[in-house]
Structures are given as structure tokens and as C-alpha cells.
Amino acid sequence: MAETGTRTGDTLPKGFRSAEHGWPELARIPHPPHRIPLLGDLLGASRSTPLQDTLRYARQLGPIFRRKAFAREFVFVWGAGLAADMADEQRFAKHVGLGIANLRPVVGDALFTAYNHESNWQLAHDVLAPGFSREAMAAYHPMMRDVAERLTGHWDQELAAGRSVDVPGDMTKLTLETIARTGFGHDFGSFERDRLHPFVTAMVGTLTYAQRLNSVPSPALLRRAGRRNEADIASLHRTVDDLVRERRATGGGPGDLLDRMLDTAHPETGERLSPENVRRQVITFLVAGHETTSGALSFALHYLSLNPAIAARARAEVDRVWGDTAVPGYEQVAKLRYVRRVLDEALRLWPTAPAFAREARADTELDGDHPMRRGAWALVLTAMLHRDPEVWGQDAERFDPDRFDATAVRARAPHTYKPFGTGARACIGRQFALHEATLVLGLLLRRYELRPDPAYRLRVTERLTLMPEGLRLRLERRTAPRSTAPAAPAGPVPDEEVSAPRCPVHRAGD
């Protein structure tokens, strides 16, 4: 039956945990062949790559399909019309799917794990949204640039030693230090360590465990892993508690996200975040603020290394826009239109948060064809929506940043590109991530030529988020004078593409 929770006003239930309770005509929705009792559709499935398995079934079964794992049935949607219908905020809302719900022992009712009937999401969002204003972003920019210089210093050392660079590992260090410095005034010393910081190790452990829970009928089968997960959660909590204690001891900081969490009252109610809520939000920002961005940068660098003509065009734009400026300013990053398109295209092919769940606010019909009861939910398979040949063409698997030039964006239907989710619960840090990633790509293109390993074939690691596995690149330091060749024309840019910071809750297209 449905888990209804407490309902007041326009709040929503937690949703049906298995699709057969919420979809009256579920039998009409196709599922993989060879379904067997108890296991469902798990025959031949991979525990380590469930998303990539699901993409394979999506191609076979069409724009709406279902899979069953043990006693739980899941409905997946990826067709453009179906996904656009589920983006309707009047009829659908965020659903905290099982993978995200598995993280609630770590962060409780934080921004991306709160159920719709829980009030802390709106409180935290309203208190923290000004931390992503244009003024706040401009203040973060010098710190982002400083961390990026630590990355280039490390890569210069690897280049001098004749070694290739560990792209996912170094992007993880970069993005962790960036969110820690800008949001919380903390330095994890990632680039001075031979191994990942224990916070990252614990974070990866909790994300991996959350995904593994979906592949077993009962958590009792993961007792040993469960004990490790409890230790990882305790480690995350200790790290954040120490960080908050340090800030309180100093009597305040530079007005960053942590200061807002500790000192800012809601502008209308006067309510403040509780100490427990502060801890949950800090962990959320440290994890979500670096895990997805590091994956996006890693995929972008992979595709740039494989496409030298695209890399040359992006590099020419950096040279033209930044010129001989030693330290690029905040406004100069927003002018890197083509570099931003490179990033957008990498997020199209591999959205690092590859799906999001939506539930019905009331009994309805999806796209006028599939009845859904109030609380019924489905997973919008973003990674397949971004490959829909009816939207992106028969060459949708090809990396092509020109899919995001102004004309192409205007010609596409709304809600066909959703790497940051949709609606009121879309990623609050979207513009932070895009500015950081565009800045870093610009700095790396300006400094290096990227050379792929000819033997490497892209493998994607799944731990709720996506990351290229084992990606290493060889570097060559640029020695020739910077090109003055014209970059991509900079015409008017629609709301879907513009990089000026804004709250995604209110952006056009949602």
C-alpha cells in the first residue's frame, strides 16, 4: 500500500514503493523478457552497472517501460512527451526514490532527500538561495580560481615527471576543495595527500552502499557492508561537526554558506536551521556540491581529448576572450559560450545524476494514456531522454557541442534537457557548478593539450552518480603563441543556455 505520511494543505504522500499499487493499467507497460519468480527481471543484470543495464532495456522496450527487482516494480520514462508531462509542477512533484531514500540515514531531510511533506526543505532553500545570487557567485570566483591553480600546479608536476594524470581522482580533489573553501571556509588539503581525503572515502562508501541496497531483497544480506556504512556515516558526521565547531569558535566567517546556515533567519518566519539541520545541509553540499561536478568535468575532458577539432575551437575561444589576462575575472567566464556548450554536451551524454523521480499530486493520466493514482511515481531516465533520437537526431550518441548553440536550443521542445532535475526541487547549486566547471575547462584548455590513451575505452562507474572509470590523460604544455582565431559567434542566448546565475526554481522551461 502507499506510505501516506502526514498530509496537510498541498503536501504529498511519500508515494507507492512498488508500481503495481499506483499504476492501474501496469500490464500495458512493457518489461524485459524472461521475467522469473522472486528475482523479477534480474536474470543477467549487473549489480555494478544497473543504470547502463536500464539504458539497454530502454532502447529495446521504448519510451515507457518497467523493471522488477525482487518484490519491487519500477516504471521508467524517457520519451520527450512523457518527460515533459511529468515536468508539469501542477500535476507532479519530486519523489524521493529508493536510491535517494537510502541516503536519509546520512543526511535526513536535507535539500535533496526531504519528502514533500517535510518543512525543512523550504526553510533551508529560502535561507540558502541568496548564497547563489550573482553577488555571491562573484565572491566565490577568486576562491574557485585559487583551487584551480592548485590543480594546474599538481598537473605541471605530473607532466614534468612524465606521468599521465588521473582525471576522475584529480577532478574529485578539485571540486571537494572548491565547495569546502567557498561554502565553508575549510581546506581538506586534497592535493597535498597521496590518497583521497577520508571524507571522500566515506562519501563514496555511503553512495555505493545506498545503490547496493537496491540490488538485494533485504538489508540483512549486507550486514557487513551495513556496519561499514555506519562507520562511514559516523566519519562524515565527525568531519562536519568539527567544521561547524571550528566556525563557532572563531565567532563567524566571511558570510559564506555556513554562516548563512548558522546565523540567518528565514526572511518571513524568522525560523532558523537547527544544529541537526545544519549538519545535514553541510554534508549535502559537500557531497552533492562536488560529486556530480567532478563527474561532469571528467566526461568533458574525456570527450575533448578524443575530439581535437572541438578542443581547438574551445581553446581558440578561451584565447580570444581571455587574451593575455593572467587571472580571468568572473564576467570573462560567462563569455566562454562554446566552452559552456562542451560542458552541456558532456552532461547530455552522461548526466552525472542520471535519473530523477516524479510522483502524481492527484489521480491523473500520464500523457493522456497511462492512468496513475495519487502518489504513483516513475523514474525519468535522464540519460536516455538525452539520447532520444526524435529530439537529438539519429546521431544522438555523437559528441557535438553545437547541439547547444542558440538556434538549436530555441528549436528544441522544452524539458528535453534535464541534467539538474526539474521544477521546485531542481538543483539549487546549478549555476555554482556550471561556473566552476566552465572556469576549470577554460584554464586547462589554455594551459594544456590533452592526449588520450589510445587503448582506453570509456567505462562508467555507477554509485548513484556517474563517473568515468580509470580515465587517464597525457598532457602537453602549450608552447605556441595563443591563437587569435575567432571563436564561436556570441549571439543572443536563450534562458536554457545562458550562464548568468539564477535560481533554477524560477528558470524558464520549468
Side-chain angles (χ1 to χ4, degrees):
M1 296 300 292
E3 298 177 4
T4 57
T6 302
R7 180 175 173 84
T8 58
D10 192 41
T11 55
L12 295 165
K14 295 180 185 178
F16 297 91
R17 289 306 177 201
S18 189
E20 63 267 20
H21 302 298
W23 294 75
E25 298 181 13
L26 185 67
R28 293 176 49 214
I29 300 175
H31 64 76
H34 314 304
R35 178 172 285 188
I36 58 178
L38 299 180
L39 291 179
D41 300 319
L42 293 181
L43 189 66
S46 168
R47 288 175 57 186
S48 61
T49 58
L51 181 276
Q52 291 163 82
D53 274 356
T54 304
L55 291 179
R56 177 165 50 87
Y57 285 124
R59 293 183 178 96
Q60 296 172 5
L61 299 172
I64 181 169
F65 65 100
R66 56 190 166 114
R67 292 187 71 186
K68 191 168 188 176
F70 305 111
R72 294 191 293 261
E73 187 111 35
F74 303 86
V75 174
F76 294 89
V77 164
W78 61 268
L82 296 165
D85 203 33
M86 298 203 83
D88 181 354
E89 285 284 289
Q90 300 301 311
R91 295 168 50 230
F92 294 92
K94 177 187 173 81
H95 175 78
V96 178
L98 291 178
I100 301 301
N102 290 339
L103 293 175
R104 283 178 64 89
V106 188
V107 292
D109 56 351
L111 279 169
F112 76 96
T113 51
Y115 294 119
N116 290 302
H117 68 270
E118 294 176 314
S119 61
N120 272 336
W121 171 80
Q122 194 69 59
L123 170 62
H125 179 274
D126 292 349
V127 167
L128 295 172
F132 297 96
S133 67
R134 186 180 186 85
E135 293 75 19
M137 293 289 297
Y140 301 148
H141 175 79
M143 290 180 277
M144 291 182 177
R145 201 174 53 216
D146 290 346
V147 176
E149 288 176 358
R150 290 168 67 182
L151 168 70
T152 56
H154 171 66
W155 276 21
D156 283 350
Q157 291 177 355
E158 298 296 280
L159 175 59
R163 292 188 292 262
S164 60
V165 293
D166 172 9
V167 174
D170 289 341
M171 294 305 108
T172 296
K173 293 178 180 179
L174 168 92
T175 54
L176 175 64
E177 291 299 334
T178 299
I179 186 61
R181 283 278 306 279
T182 58
F184 309 104
H186 187 74
D187 190 333
F188 283 103
S190 298
F191 286 105
E192 290 70 46
R193 294 173 174 269
D194 293 332
R195 299 179 180 178
L196 292 175
H197 190 280
F199 181 89
V200 177
T201 304
M203 178 210 70
V204 170
T206 59
L207 292 176
T208 303
Y209 179 77
Q211 177 153 300
R212 287 188 66 192
L213 282 176
N214 290 336
S215 66
V216 295
S218 169
L221 298 176
L222 297 175
R223 286 177 181 169
R224 190 172 179 181
R227 289 193 293 271
R228 284 199 305 273
N229 185 58
E230 290 175 1
D232 287 337
I233 293 173
S235 176
L236 294 176
H237 287 179
R238 281 194 305 272
T239 300
V240 171
D241 289 346
D242 289 345
L243 191 153
V244 173
R245 193 179 303 112
E246 178 184 333
R247 176 61 59 86
R248 289 194 185 278
T250 61
D256 56 14
L257 291 176
L258 183 54
D259 279 343
R260 291 180 184 277
M261 292 181 191
L262 295 175
D263 302 329
T264 303
H266 190 281
E268 296 177 5
T269 67
E271 188 178 0
R272 295 177 181 271
L273 274 63
S274 68
E276 183 180 39
N277 197 352
V278 170
R279 173 205 270 174
R280 291 172 172 176
Q281 305 301 348
V282 172
I283 294 176
T284 295
F285 275 97
L286 286 173
V287 173
H290 92 275
E291 173 73 358
T292 51
T293 310
S294 60
L297 276 165
S298 298
F299 283 116
L301 289 167
H302 167 68
Y303 286 112
L304 284 169
S305 73
L306 292 181
N307 295 275
I310 292 173
R313 184 176 170 188
R315 188 174 290 112
E317 179 186 61
V318 175
D319 291 345
R320 178 181 62 82
V321 173
W322 290 0
D324 292 326
T325 304
V327 181
Y330 172 74
E331 297 291 344
Q332 287 179 294
V333 175
K335 294 177 181 178
L336 295 181
R337 300 279 176 80
Y338 188 72
V339 173
R340 168 65 185 276
R341 292 172 195 165
V342 168
L343 182 63
D344 287 339
E345 177 69 345
L347 281 168
R348 180 187 71 83
L349 284 171
W350 293 106
T352 48
F356 58 93
R358 301 283 283 173
E359 66 181 54
R361 292 181 179 271
D363 291 357
T364 188
E365 284 192 350
L366 178 61
D367 203 28
D369 190 36
H370 295 280
M372 297 176 69
R373 296 192 180 111
R374 173 179 168 271
W377 64 281
L379 280 160
V380 178
L381 194 58
T382 320
M384 194 65 202
L385 172 65
H386 291 179
R387 289 171 161 81
D388 186 345
E390 293 187 9
V391 176
W392 305 97
Q394 295 303 313
D395 64 344
E397 297 288 343
R398 184 171 63 88
F399 184 80
D400 180 9
D402 282 336
R403 299 181 200 274
F404 291 91
D405 70 25
T407 302
V409 171
R410 281 195 295 268
R412 270 195 300 276
H415 306 295
T416 54
Y417 181 65
K418 292 288 184 181
F420 295 96
T422 193
R425 300 288 297 273
C427 174
I428 193 174
R430 170 180 181 261
Q431 294 299 341
F432 181 100
L434 292 171
H435 182 84
E436 174 192 3
T438 305
L439 168 66
V440 170
L441 287 180
L443 290 171
L444 296 180
L445 286 165
R446 190 187 208 191
R447 194 175 189 90
Y448 306 109
E449 301 277 355
L450 307 170
R451 305 300 185 204
D453 177 353
Y456 180 76
R457 297 295 179 268
L458 180 63
R459 303 182 303 277
V460 178
T461 296
E462 300 181 26
R463 51 185 188 230
L464 291 184
T465 60
L466 305 180
M467 178 76 78
E469 178 183 344
L471 173 63
R472 301 190 71 91
L473 296 178
R474 290 183 298 106
L475 305 175
E476 292 179 14
R477 187 66 185 271
R478 289 185 69 195
T479 55
R482 290 179 187 144
S483 171
T484 58
V493 183
D495 286 338
E496 287 279 345
E497 187 185 1
V498 70
S499 56
R502 65 185 50 161
C503 174
V505 171
H506 305 296
R507 67 190 175 93
D510 280 345

